[in-house]
Amino acid sequence: MVVCEKCGYDNELGRIFCHSCGAKLNLSEIKSPSQGGKSLAKKKTGSWKPFWRMIEVLILLAVIAALFLALQVPSVRPISISSEDLTSSDKQRFELDNAIAQRKPAAIAITEGQLNAFIGTLGFQKSQGTGLEVIPTKLQLELGDGVVTAIFVGKIHFGGSVEKQLYLSYTGVPTIEGGHFVFKSVGGSLGSLPMGPWLLEKTGLFDRYYAKVFANLGQEKQTIDSLSSISVSPQEAVLNYQPH
């Protein structure tokens, strides 16, 4: 700082005239750092250190909290499935295939139990390798108000020695666009860590694991692609077919 000899005001370095009274400052009184004066550059740099240290601490805490949430495995809501659910789901698939083959309008209602009875017949593909290995143990579909939530539960093996549970949930709106089935994601979670649609799309994590489960649904996908629309409620999913 440069002290004005006239009014005593402390002016910042670099000024020629006093900010308070306008008198010309005596710049000869300013000492260089080598002569015992204060360095402005060092002062500015030092003043930011506590701020950046606080930012680094906050980022570290955020990463720790995210990892903690990601490793938590929420409880999965139990869905009762009976042998009748599996029989009726097979019957509904036949009715829908028959309607499409004969080009007759149809509306097939599927309950949550029937949908999961069919999903249970798909089986899982086990990852191979000696490094990171993912073993699926459960896939469940839950119906909501206009959305479907797919819950994937599995186990992660690291080198065959360390084992952790994996929980993925993927919520989206099932729809038909341009003659193809589309699952528009609206959110999801890794463990208890919520993930937005943008992050789900960029990471591709969810698509990769769910694709393994549904890899063998070639015929079923053709049937779904033939639908006109899909409507979902907490009670049932309705598959609508209207011939073009």
Side-chain angles (χ1 to χ4, degrees):
M1 305 297 286
V2 183
V3 179
C4 177
E5 294 178 345
K6 183 177 180 181
C7 68
Y9 183 81
D10 285 341
N11 293 273
E12 64 272 14
L13 292 179
R15 294 193 68 88
I16 299 176
F17 297 95
C18 179
H19 181 74
S20 178
C21 67
K24 188 173 181 179
L25 300 173
N26 186 3
L27 302 181
S28 63
E29 295 296 324
I30 303 175
K31 295 181 179 180
S32 65
S34 62
Q35 296 174 324
K38 294 182 179 180
S39 172
L40 182 62
K42 289 183 179 180
K43 183 178 180 181
K44 287 185 176 180
T45 303
S47 65
W48 283 96
K49 283 184 178 180
F51 173 77
W52 290 116
R53 190 177 299 276
M54 181 180 67
I55 294 298
E56 291 174 354
V57 171
L58 290 176
I59 292 175
L60 178 61
L61 291 176
V63 171
I64 294 174
L67 289 175
F68 175 79
L69 291 174
L71 293 175
Q72 302 303 304
V73 179
S75 59
V76 180
R77 175 170 62 86
I79 295 179
S80 178
I81 301 175
S82 65
S83 57
E84 294 181 356
D85 288 329
L86 182 58
T87 302
S88 58
S89 67
D90 289 338
K91 180 181 178 181
Q92 289 165 322
R93 289 171 56 197
F94 175 78
E95 291 178 357
L96 183 57
D97 289 338
N98 189 52
I100 294 174
Q102 298 183 19
R103 300 183 60 81
K104 292 182 178 181
I108 306 297
I110 302 176
T111 66
E112 200 173 59
Q114 293 167 344
L115 183 60
N116 283 279
F118 167 70
I119 293 298
T121 64
L122 298 181
F124 297 112
Q125 295 181 359
K126 182 178 178 180
S127 300
Q128 300 294 329
T130 57
L132 178 64
E133 183 182 20
V134 178
I135 304 175
T137 58
K138 185 179 183 64
L139 176 66
Q140 179 169 294
L141 300 183
E142 298 182 356
L143 303 180
D145 189 9
V147 298
V148 176
T149 298
I151 297 175
F152 175 98
V153 181
K155 295 180 179 179
I156 303 178
H157 287 272
F158 299 94
S161 58
V162 180
E163 179 179 296
K164 292 290 184 181
Q165 284 227 316
L166 174 67
Y167 175 98
L168 300 174
S169 72
Y170 197 6
T171 301
V173 179
T175 185
I176 305 296
E177 290 186 354
H180 295 283
F181 172 77
V182 179
F183 193 73
K184 294 183 176 180
S185 65
V186 298
S189 69
L190 173 58
S192 296
L193 179 66
M195 302 181 73
W198 180 86
L199 191 57
L200 292 174
E201 179 182 349
K202 293 301 180 182
T203 60
L205 175 68
F206 291 65
D207 291 333
R208 183 162 60 251
Y209 285 113
Y210 288 120
K212 291 180 180 180
V213 177
F214 295 104
N216 298 323
L217 293 180
Q219 181 61 41
E220 287 79 3
K221 187 179 185 307
Q222 291 182 10
T223 300
I224 296 176
D225 286 343
S226 301
L227 297 175
S228 303
S229 64
I230 301 174
S231 58
V232 181
S233 71
Q235 290 74 36
E236 61 185 14
V238 180
L239 311 180
N240 299 294
Y241 171 72
Q242 290 289 337
H244 298 292

